Amino acid sequence: MAPRTVEVGLNAAIVAVADGTPLVLVTPAEDGVADGAEGLPFGAFDPLLHRTFESGLRSLVGEQTSHALGYVEQLYTFGDRGRLAAPGDEEAHIVSVGYLALTRIEDSDGEPRETTDAAWQSFYRYFPWEDWRAGKPEMIDATILPKLGDWAAGTGSSAARTERLRLAFGASGLPWDEERVLERYELLYEAGLIEEAVRDGRLPAVRSELPLGRSMQFDHRRILATAIARLRSKLKYRPVIFELMPATFTLSELQRVVEAIAGRHLHTQNFRRFVENTALVEATGGSSARTGGRPAALFRFRKEVLSERPSPGIRIGRA
């Protein structure tokens, strides 16, 4: 039998925020793949055409979406056996290098950027249990925790699974940690409670009973979970949130974007006090009436903060 070959693919979780909704750019399903599920922009790395992985990613994304990337950082390499293969498949094994990219839907003139067949969709289309801005999602207590509890209790390693459940979903009095996005997704996958687990032939079919978020092609939802977790963590110690903001903004607009990414409501006065006292922003002298109420002061990111201290991020306190 001929040896299996390995190919390198490139995936991009391209994130933007519009009207208080955190968005990811997705592409239509490939023909015959994953029951029509959407996917992240993806393409093969070609060492003859692409000098680096990142240059290859930028080129592929431009071809697929007509969207030029701004901020980009590498996430992780995804290479589990079976991630793209079907039983009996003798094609090359695909190892994907995942990236997080931050951008804005509008260009510098405020006009929407054009895309090809790609579309912007909310994070919470794929991870509805992650959006706590209006309080704890009902599905957690009604569906997720009971099902995961049954799964944890049904094995010889129930103590370890129960502890993972407590940490990931903040059960038994533990606080919710917004950064554990990937851990929560992987628990749901292992328990067979999401469509990807059914598609991959893990536990018995639960597709019709538990539509827990929309599925994605291959392991693209796992890649997106990794990207969201990285972004939620990083905004606390680096000013990456400003990659998602226009050049000037009000403090209310900044708070809405932070809340959209973090998935929970923030105490307004504490947030404003923190942003102003840490000199992350500076007033422009202008004002905006975009909200329709009283004109609000306009601010901009103060770039000097990058050289003044090592961790100029946004504190996310409790509401």
Side-chain angles (χ1 to χ4, degrees), residues 220-250:
H220 289 196
R221 191 154 50 149
R222 182 171 182 250
I223 297 173
L224 180 56
T226 306
I228 297 171
R230 172 74 63 84
L231 182 54
R232 285 181 170 183
S233 171
K234 196 156 191 174
L235 65 82
K236 298 175 184 178
Y237 63 89
R238 297 299 294 170
V240 291
I241 198 68
F242 297 103
E243 300 287 345
L244 302 170
M245 301 300 301
T248 61
F249 46 83
T250 68

PDB file of all heavy atoms in Angstrom, residues 220-250:
ATOM      1  N   HIS A 220     -14.138  22.781  11.581  1.00  0.00           N
ATOM      2  CA  HIS A 220     -14.057  24.239  11.543  1.00  0.00           C
ATOM      3  C   HIS A 220     -14.691  24.894  12.771  1.00  0.00           C
ATOM      4  O   HIS A 220     -14.267  25.977  13.184  1.00  0.00           O
ATOM      5  CB  HIS A 220     -14.696  24.774  10.265  1.00  0.00           C
ATOM      6  CG  HIS A 220     -13.894  24.473   9.038  1.00  0.00           C
ATOM      7  ND1 HIS A 220     -14.102  25.128   7.834  1.00  0.00           N
ATOM      8  CD2 HIS A 220     -12.872  23.596   8.815  1.00  0.00           C
ATOM      9  CE1 HIS A 220     -13.249  24.655   6.938  1.00  0.00           C
ATOM     10  NE2 HIS A 220     -12.507  23.717   7.510  1.00  0.00           N
ATOM     11  N   ARG A 221     -15.700  24.238  13.369  1.00  0.00           N
ATOM     12  CA  ARG A 221     -16.283  24.837  14.578  1.00  0.00           C
ATOM     13  C   ARG A 221     -15.302  24.738  15.747  1.00  0.00           C
ATOM     14  O   ARG A 221     -15.265  25.624  16.604  1.00  0.00           O
ATOM     15  CB  ARG A 221     -17.631  24.187  14.931  1.00  0.00           C
ATOM     16  CG  ARG A 221     -18.366  24.962  16.009  1.00  0.00           C
ATOM     17  CD  ARG A 221     -19.865  24.855  16.047  1.00  0.00           C
ATOM     18  NE  ARG A 221     -20.441  23.545  16.010  1.00  0.00           N
ATOM     19  CZ  ARG A 221     -21.611  23.226  16.612  1.00  0.00           C
ATOM     20  NH1 ARG A 221     -22.274  24.141  17.304  1.00  0.00           N
ATOM     21  NH2 ARG A 221     -22.100  22.013  16.508  1.00  0.00           N
ATOM     22  N   ARG A 222     -14.495  23.710  15.781  1.00  0.00           N
ATOM     23  CA  ARG A 222     -13.442  23.617  16.805  1.00  0.00           C
ATOM     24  C   ARG A 222     -12.399  24.717  16.591  1.00  0.00           C
ATOM     25  O   ARG A 222     -11.910  25.322  17.541  1.00  0.00           O
ATOM     26  CB  ARG A 222     -12.786  22.241  16.770  1.00  0.00           C
ATOM     27  CG  ARG A 222     -11.719  22.062  17.839  1.00  0.00           C
ATOM     28  CD  ARG A 222     -11.256  20.614  17.917  1.00  0.00           C
ATOM     29  NE  ARG A 222     -10.269  20.448  18.981  1.00  0.00           N
ATOM     30  CZ  ARG A 222      -8.986  20.207  18.780  1.00  0.00           C
ATOM     31  NH1 ARG A 222      -8.512  20.115  17.541  1.00  0.00           N
ATOM     32  NH2 ARG A 222      -8.159  20.068  19.786  1.00  0.00           N
ATOM     33  N   ILE A 223     -12.044  24.975  15.346  1.00  0.00           N
ATOM     34  CA  ILE A 223     -11.097  26.049  15.044  1.00  0.00           C
ATOM     35  C   ILE A 223     -11.676  27.391  15.466  1.00  0.00           C
ATOM     36  O   ILE A 223     -10.986  28.229  16.062  1.00  0.00           O
ATOM     37  CB  ILE A 223     -10.727  26.043  13.552  1.00  0.00           C
ATOM     38  CG1 ILE A 223     -10.006  24.735  13.195  1.00  0.00           C
ATOM     39  CG2 ILE A 223      -9.862  27.246  13.198  1.00  0.00           C
ATOM     40  CD1 ILE A 223      -9.756  24.556  11.704  1.00  0.00           C
ATOM     41  N   LEU A 224     -12.966  27.611  15.181  1.00  0.00           N
ATOM     42  CA  LEU A 224     -13.603  28.862  15.579  1.00  0.00           C
ATOM     43  C   LEU A 224     -13.667  28.986  17.093  1.00  0.00           C
ATOM     44  O   LEU A 224     -13.444  30.079  17.643  1.00  0.00           O
ATOM     45  CB  LEU A 224     -15.005  28.947  14.971  1.00  0.00           C
ATOM     46  CG  LEU A 224     -15.810  30.205  15.309  1.00  0.00           C
ATOM     47  CD1 LEU A 224     -15.057  31.477  14.928  1.00  0.00           C
ATOM     48  CD2 LEU A 224     -17.178  30.159  14.623  1.00  0.00           C
ATOM     49  N   ALA A 225     -13.949  27.891  17.804  1.00  0.00           N
ATOM     50  CA  ALA A 225     -13.952  27.934  19.275  1.00  0.00           C
ATOM     51  C   ALA A 225     -12.579  28.335  19.797  1.00  0.00           C
ATOM     52  O   ALA A 225     -12.460  29.113  20.754  1.00  0.00           O
ATOM     53  CB  ALA A 225     -14.359  26.571  19.838  1.00  0.00           C
ATOM     54  N   THR A 226     -11.525  27.813  19.186  1.00  0.00           N
ATOM     55  CA  THR A 226     -10.161  28.172  19.578  1.00  0.00           C
ATOM     56  C   THR A 226      -9.913  29.651  19.357  1.00  0.00           C
ATOM     57  O   THR A 226      -9.296  30.331  20.196  1.00  0.00           O
ATOM     58  CB  THR A 226      -9.147  27.336  18.778  1.00  0.00           C
ATOM     59  OG1 THR A 226      -9.442  25.941  18.926  1.00  0.00           O
ATOM     60  CG2 THR A 226      -7.729  27.591  19.248  1.00  0.00           C
ATOM     61  N   ALA A 227     -10.406  30.178  18.246  1.00  0.00           N
ATOM     62  CA  ALA A 227     -10.216  31.599  17.927  1.00  0.00           C
ATOM     63  C   ALA A 227     -10.951  32.497  18.914  1.00  0.00           C
ATOM     64  O   ALA A 227     -10.406  33.514  19.375  1.00  0.00           O
ATOM     65  CB  ALA A 227     -10.688  31.880  16.506  1.00  0.00           C
ATOM     66  N   ILE A 228     -12.200  32.147  19.253  1.00  0.00           N
ATOM     67  CA  ILE A 228     -12.970  32.965  20.196  1.00  0.00           C
ATOM     68  C   ILE A 228     -12.311  32.957  21.566  1.00  0.00           C
ATOM     69  O   ILE A 228     -12.193  34.003  22.229  1.00  0.00           O
ATOM     70  CB  ILE A 228     -14.424  32.465  20.279  1.00  0.00           C
ATOM     71  CG1 ILE A 228     -15.116  32.622  18.925  1.00  0.00           C
ATOM     72  CG2 ILE A 228     -15.187  33.235  21.359  1.00  0.00           C
ATOM     73  CD1 ILE A 228     -16.490  31.955  18.865  1.00  0.00           C
ATOM     74  N   ALA A 229     -11.867  31.776  22.010  1.00  0.00           N
ATOM     75  CA  ALA A 229     -11.194  31.679  23.307  1.00  0.00           C
ATOM     76  C   ALA A 229      -9.931  32.538  23.322  1.00  0.00           C
ATOM     77  O   ALA A 229      -9.654  33.248  24.299  1.00  0.00           O
ATOM     78  CB  ALA A 229     -10.856  30.227  23.616  1.00  0.00           C
ATOM     79  N   ARG A 230      -9.138  32.480  22.249  1.00  0.00           N
ATOM     80  CA  ARG A 230      -7.913  33.276  22.182  1.00  0.00           C
ATOM     81  C   ARG A 230      -8.243  34.772  22.232  1.00  0.00           C
ATOM     82  O   ARG A 230      -7.592  35.535  22.943  1.00  0.00           O
ATOM     83  CB  ARG A 230      -7.170  32.949  20.892  1.00  0.00           C
ATOM     84  CG  ARG A 230      -5.962  33.854  20.600  1.00  0.00           C
ATOM     85  CD  ARG A 230      -4.770  33.571  21.470  1.00  0.00           C
ATOM     86  NE  ARG A 230      -4.276  32.213  21.243  1.00  0.00           N
ATOM     87  CZ  ARG A 230      -3.434  31.882  20.252  1.00  0.00           C
ATOM     88  NH1 ARG A 230      -2.986  32.798  19.429  1.00  0.00           N
ATOM     89  NH2 ARG A 230      -3.049  30.626  20.128  1.00  0.00           N
ATOM     90  N   LEU A 231      -9.250  35.186  21.489  1.00  0.00           N
ATOM     91  CA  LEU A 231      -9.599  36.605  21.446  1.00  0.00           C
ATOM     92  C   LEU A 231     -10.119  37.085  22.793  1.00  0.00           C
ATOM     93  O   LEU A 231      -9.741  38.170  23.263  1.00  0.00           O
ATOM     94  CB  LEU A 231     -10.631  36.847  20.350  1.00  0.00           C
ATOM     95  CG  LEU A 231     -11.083  38.292  20.135  1.00  0.00           C
ATOM     96  CD1 LEU A 231      -9.893  39.217  19.917  1.00  0.00           C
ATOM     97  CD2 LEU A 231     -12.054  38.365  18.953  1.00  0.00           C
ATOM     98  N   ARG A 232     -10.969  36.306  23.435  1.00  0.00           N
ATOM     99  CA  ARG A 232     -11.492  36.696  24.745  1.00  0.00           C
ATOM    100  C   ARG A 232     -10.369  36.814  25.776  1.00  0.00           C
ATOM    101  O   ARG A 232     -10.402  37.702  26.632  1.00  0.00           O
ATOM    102  CB  ARG A 232     -12.535  35.679  25.223  1.00  0.00           C
ATOM    103  CG  ARG A 232     -13.867  35.793  24.512  1.00  0.00           C
ATOM    104  CD  ARG A 232     -14.876  34.771  25.031  1.00  0.00           C
ATOM    105  NE  ARG A 232     -16.218  35.036  24.526  1.00  0.00           N
ATOM    106  CZ  ARG A 232     -17.303  34.344  24.845  1.00  0.00           C
ATOM    107  NH1 ARG A 232     -17.197  33.318  25.690  1.00  0.00           N
ATOM    108  NH2 ARG A 232     -18.479  34.664  24.350  1.00  0.00           N
ATOM    109  N   SER A 233      -9.406  35.934  25.682  1.00  0.00           N
ATOM    110  CA  SER A 233      -8.269  36.018  26.593  1.00  0.00           C
ATOM    111  C   SER A 233      -7.382  37.205  26.267  1.00  0.00           C
ATOM    112  O   SER A 233      -6.990  37.970  27.154  1.00  0.00           O
ATOM    113  CB  SER A 233      -7.459  34.713  26.511  1.00  0.00           C
ATOM    114  OG  SER A 233      -6.241  34.830  27.213  1.00  0.00           O
ATOM    115  N   LYS A 234      -7.094  37.394  25.007  1.00  0.00           N
ATOM    116  CA  LYS A 234      -6.086  38.383  24.610  1.00  0.00           C
ATOM    117  C   LYS A 234      -6.548  39.816  24.823  1.00  0.00           C
ATOM    118  O   LYS A 234      -5.730  40.702  25.089  1.00  0.00           O
ATOM    119  CB  LYS A 234      -5.693  38.174  23.155  1.00  0.00           C
ATOM    120  CG  LYS A 234      -4.405  38.888  22.779  1.00  0.00           C
ATOM    121  CD  LYS A 234      -3.727  38.233  21.595  1.00  0.00           C
ATOM    122  CE  LYS A 234      -2.322  38.797  21.429  1.00  0.00           C
ATOM    123  NZ  LYS A 234      -1.564  38.088  20.381  1.00  0.00           N
ATOM    124  N   LEU A 235      -7.851  40.067  24.708  1.00  0.00           N
ATOM    125  CA  LEU A 235      -8.297  41.454  24.867  1.00  0.00           C
ATOM    126  C   LEU A 235      -8.069  41.963  26.288  1.00  0.00           C
ATOM    127  O   LEU A 235      -8.116  43.169  26.537  1.00  0.00           O
ATOM    128  CB  LEU A 235      -9.753  41.617  24.440  1.00  0.00           C
ATOM    129  CG  LEU A 235     -10.883  40.934  25.206  1.00  0.00           C
ATOM    130  CD1 LEU A 235     -11.304  41.709  26.441  1.00  0.00           C
ATOM    131  CD2 LEU A 235     -12.095  40.766  24.285  1.00  0.00           C
ATOM    132  N   LYS A 236      -7.767  41.043  27.238  1.00  0.00           N
ATOM    133  CA  LYS A 236      -7.523  41.452  28.618  1.00  0.00           C
ATOM    134  C   LYS A 236      -6.092  41.928  28.841  1.00  0.00           C
ATOM    135  O   LYS A 236      -5.811  42.577  29.859  1.00  0.00           O
ATOM    136  CB  LYS A 236      -7.836  40.293  29.569  1.00  0.00           C
ATOM    137  CG  LYS A 236      -9.290  39.846  29.519  1.00  0.00           C
ATOM    138  CD  LYS A 236      -9.529  38.625  30.386  1.00  0.00           C
ATOM    139  CE  LYS A 236     -10.967  38.132  30.257  1.00  0.00           C
ATOM    140  NZ  LYS A 236     -11.212  36.920  31.067  1.00  0.00           N
ATOM    141  N   TYR A 237      -5.178  41.582  27.926  1.00  0.00           N
ATOM    142  CA  TYR A 237      -3.795  42.003  28.154  1.00  0.00           C
ATOM    143  C   TYR A 237      -3.137  42.648  26.931  1.00  0.00           C
ATOM    144  O   TYR A 237      -1.987  43.070  27.007  1.00  0.00           O
ATOM    145  CB  TYR A 237      -2.938  40.816  28.638  1.00  0.00           C
ATOM    146  CG  TYR A 237      -2.797  39.666  27.670  1.00  0.00           C
ATOM    147  CD1 TYR A 237      -1.763  39.637  26.734  1.00  0.00           C
ATOM    148  CD2 TYR A 237      -3.686  38.593  27.713  1.00  0.00           C
ATOM    149  CE1 TYR A 237      -1.628  38.584  25.849  1.00  0.00           C
ATOM    150  CE2 TYR A 237      -3.546  37.535  26.835  1.00  0.00           C
ATOM    151  CZ  TYR A 237      -2.520  37.531  25.906  1.00  0.00           C
ATOM    152  OH  TYR A 237      -2.388  36.486  25.033  1.00  0.00           O
ATOM    153  N   ARG A 238      -3.847  42.717  25.795  1.00  0.00           N
ATOM    154  CA  ARG A 238      -3.362  43.453  24.641  1.00  0.00           C
ATOM    155  C   ARG A 238      -4.516  44.257  24.058  1.00  0.00           C
ATOM    156  O   ARG A 238      -5.678  43.827  24.119  1.00  0.00           O
ATOM    157  CB  ARG A 238      -2.813  42.510  23.563  1.00  0.00           C
ATOM    158  CG  ARG A 238      -1.604  41.688  23.985  1.00  0.00           C
ATOM    159  CD  ARG A 238      -0.409  42.571  24.354  1.00  0.00           C
ATOM    160  NE  ARG A 238       0.101  43.310  23.198  1.00  0.00           N
ATOM    161  CZ  ARG A 238       0.998  44.280  23.285  1.00  0.00           C
ATOM    162  NH1 ARG A 238       1.463  44.659  24.462  1.00  0.00           N
ATOM    163  NH2 ARG A 238       1.421  44.885  22.205  1.00  0.00           N
ATOM    164  N   PRO A 239      -4.261  45.419  23.474  1.00  0.00           N
ATOM    165  CA  PRO A 239      -5.351  46.272  22.980  1.00  0.00           C
ATOM    166  C   PRO A 239      -5.891  45.839  21.622  1.00  0.00           C
ATOM    167  O   PRO A 239      -6.134  46.667  20.735  1.00  0.00           O
ATOM    168  CB  PRO A 239      -4.690  47.650  22.921  1.00  0.00           C
ATOM    169  CG  PRO A 239      -3.262  47.368  22.615  1.00  0.00           C
ATOM    170  CD  PRO A 239      -2.944  46.084  23.360  1.00  0.00           C
ATOM    171  N   VAL A 240      -6.102  44.523  21.444  1.00  0.00           N
ATOM    172  CA  VAL A 240      -6.567  44.025  20.154  1.00  0.00           C
ATOM    173  C   VAL A 240      -7.993  44.473  19.840  1.00  0.00           C
ATOM    174  O   VAL A 240      -8.403  44.467  18.674  1.00  0.00           O
ATOM    175  CB  VAL A 240      -6.483  42.482  20.097  1.00  0.00           C
ATOM    176  CG1 VAL A 240      -5.038  42.019  20.081  1.00  0.00           C
ATOM    177  CG2 VAL A 240      -7.239  41.843  21.253  1.00  0.00           C
ATOM    178  N   ILE A 241      -8.744  44.858  20.854  1.00  0.00           N
ATOM    179  CA  ILE A 241     -10.124  45.276  20.613  1.00  0.00           C
ATOM    180  C   ILE A 241     -10.194  46.455  19.655  1.00  0.00           C
ATOM    181  O   ILE A 241     -11.156  46.610  18.887  1.00  0.00           O
ATOM    182  CB  ILE A 241     -10.828  45.624  21.959  1.00  0.00           C
ATOM    183  CG1 ILE A 241     -12.344  45.617  21.790  1.00  0.00           C
ATOM    184  CG2 ILE A 241     -10.339  46.947  22.526  1.00  0.00           C
ATOM    185  CD1 ILE A 241     -12.918  44.250  21.542  1.00  0.00           C
ATOM    186  N   PHE A 242      -9.137  47.273  19.627  1.00  0.00           N
ATOM    187  CA  PHE A 242      -9.152  48.458  18.769  1.00  0.00           C
ATOM    188  C   PHE A 242      -8.964  48.102  17.300  1.00  0.00           C
ATOM    189  O   PHE A 242      -9.195  48.949  16.426  1.00  0.00           O
ATOM    190  CB  PHE A 242      -8.110  49.462  19.249  1.00  0.00           C
ATOM    191  CG  PHE A 242      -8.405  49.968  20.642  1.00  0.00           C
ATOM    192  CD1 PHE A 242      -7.700  49.487  21.729  1.00  0.00           C
ATOM    193  CD2 PHE A 242      -9.419  50.883  20.864  1.00  0.00           C
ATOM    194  CE1 PHE A 242      -7.979  49.917  23.019  1.00  0.00           C
ATOM    195  CE2 PHE A 242      -9.719  51.322  22.146  1.00  0.00           C
ATOM    196  CZ  PHE A 242      -8.994  50.847  23.219  1.00  0.00           C
ATOM    197  N   GLU A 243      -8.553  46.863  17.009  1.00  0.00           N
ATOM    198  CA  GLU A 243      -8.514  46.399  15.620  1.00  0.00           C
ATOM    199  C   GLU A 243      -9.928  46.254  15.059  1.00  0.00           C
ATOM    200  O   GLU A 243     -10.102  46.206  13.834  1.00  0.00           O
ATOM    201  CB  GLU A 243      -7.793  45.047  15.525  1.00  0.00           C
ATOM    202  CG  GLU A 243      -6.353  45.046  15.995  1.00  0.00           C
ATOM    203  CD  GLU A 243      -5.415  45.747  15.027  1.00  0.00           C
ATOM    204  OE1 GLU A 243      -5.817  45.979  13.863  1.00  0.00           O
ATOM    205  OE2 GLU A 243      -4.286  46.075  15.438  1.00  0.00           O
ATOM    206  N   LEU A 244     -10.912  46.176  15.943  1.00  0.00           N
ATOM    207  CA  LEU A 244     -12.302  46.011  15.530  1.00  0.00           C
ATOM    208  C   LEU A 244     -13.077  47.329  15.543  1.00  0.00           C
ATOM    209  O   LEU A 244     -14.252  47.348  15.185  1.00  0.00           O
ATOM    210  CB  LEU A 244     -13.001  45.016  16.470  1.00  0.00           C
ATOM    211  CG  LEU A 244     -12.377  43.622  16.543  1.00  0.00           C
ATOM    212  CD1 LEU A 244     -12.999  42.822  17.675  1.00  0.00           C
ATOM    213  CD2 LEU A 244     -12.547  42.882  15.217  1.00  0.00           C
ATOM    214  N   MET A 245     -12.418  48.410  15.965  1.00  0.00           N
ATOM    215  CA  MET A 245     -13.074  49.706  16.117  1.00  0.00           C
ATOM    216  C   MET A 245     -12.729  50.628  14.952  1.00  0.00           C
ATOM    217  O   MET A 245     -11.653  50.525  14.354  1.00  0.00           O
ATOM    218  CB  MET A 245     -12.619  50.378  17.420  1.00  0.00           C
ATOM    219  CG  MET A 245     -12.893  49.588  18.685  1.00  0.00           C
ATOM    220  SD  MET A 245     -14.649  49.240  18.972  1.00  0.00           S
ATOM    221  CE  MET A 245     -15.332  50.904  19.049  1.00  0.00           C
ATOM    222  N   PRO A 246     -13.638  51.564  14.632  1.00  0.00           N
ATOM    223  CA  PRO A 246     -13.271  52.612  13.671  1.00  0.00           C
ATOM    224  C   PRO A 246     -12.220  53.537  14.280  1.00  0.00           C
ATOM    225  O   PRO A 246     -11.890  53.421  15.467  1.00  0.00           O
ATOM    226  CB  PRO A 246     -14.600  53.338  13.432  1.00  0.00           C
ATOM    227  CG  PRO A 246     -15.398  53.075  14.662  1.00  0.00           C
ATOM    228  CD  PRO A 246     -15.007  51.709  15.137  1.00  0.00           C
ATOM    229  N   ALA A 247     -11.717  54.472  13.496  1.00  0.00           N
ATOM    230  CA  ALA A 247     -10.663  55.365  13.974  1.00  0.00           C
ATOM    231  C   ALA A 247     -11.125  56.188  15.172  1.00  0.00           C
ATOM    232  O   ALA A 247     -10.354  56.454  16.096  1.00  0.00           O
ATOM    233  CB  ALA A 247     -10.199  56.284  12.850  1.00  0.00           C
ATOM    234  N   THR A 248     -12.383  56.598  15.178  1.00  0.00           N
ATOM    235  CA  THR A 248     -12.950  57.326  16.315  1.00  0.00           C
ATOM    236  C   THR A 248     -14.240  56.644  16.738  1.00  0.00           C
ATOM    237  O   THR A 248     -14.956  56.064  15.912  1.00  0.00           O
ATOM    238  CB  THR A 248     -13.226  58.802  15.975  1.00  0.00           C
ATOM    239  OG1 THR A 248     -14.187  58.881  14.907  1.00  0.00           O
ATOM    240  CG2 THR A 248     -11.940  59.509  15.571  1.00  0.00           C
ATOM    241  N   PHE A 249     -14.552  56.730  18.035  1.00  0.00           N
ATOM    242  CA  PHE A 249     -15.689  55.997  18.582  1.00  0.00           C
ATOM    243  C   PHE A 249     -16.076  56.623  19.906  1.00  0.00           C
ATOM    244  O   PHE A 249     -15.288  57.346  20.534  1.00  0.00           O
ATOM    245  CB  PHE A 249     -15.316  54.519  18.793  1.00  0.00           C
ATOM    246  CG  PHE A 249     -13.983  54.342  19.470  1.00  0.00           C
ATOM    247  CD1 PHE A 249     -13.860  54.408  20.856  1.00  0.00           C
ATOM    248  CD2 PHE A 249     -12.836  54.154  18.724  1.00  0.00           C
ATOM    249  CE1 PHE A 249     -12.631  54.272  21.481  1.00  0.00           C
ATOM    250  CE2 PHE A 249     -11.595  54.023  19.337  1.00  0.00           C
ATOM    251  CZ  PHE A 249     -11.495  54.080  20.723  1.00  0.00           C
ATOM    252  N   THR A 250     -17.287  56.343  20.341  1.00  0.00           N
ATOM    253  CA  THR A 250     -17.714  56.753  21.674  1.00  0.00           C
ATOM    254  C   THR A 250     -17.382  55.635  22.659  1.00  0.00           C
ATOM    255  O   THR A 250     -17.144  54.482  22.258  1.00  0.00           O
ATOM    256  CB  THR A 250     -19.224  57.031  21.719  1.00  0.00           C
ATOM    257  OG1 THR A 250     -19.929  55.788  21.543  1.00  0.00           O
ATOM    258  CG2 THR A 250     -19.648  58.008  20.632  1.00  0.00           C
TER     259      THR A 250
END
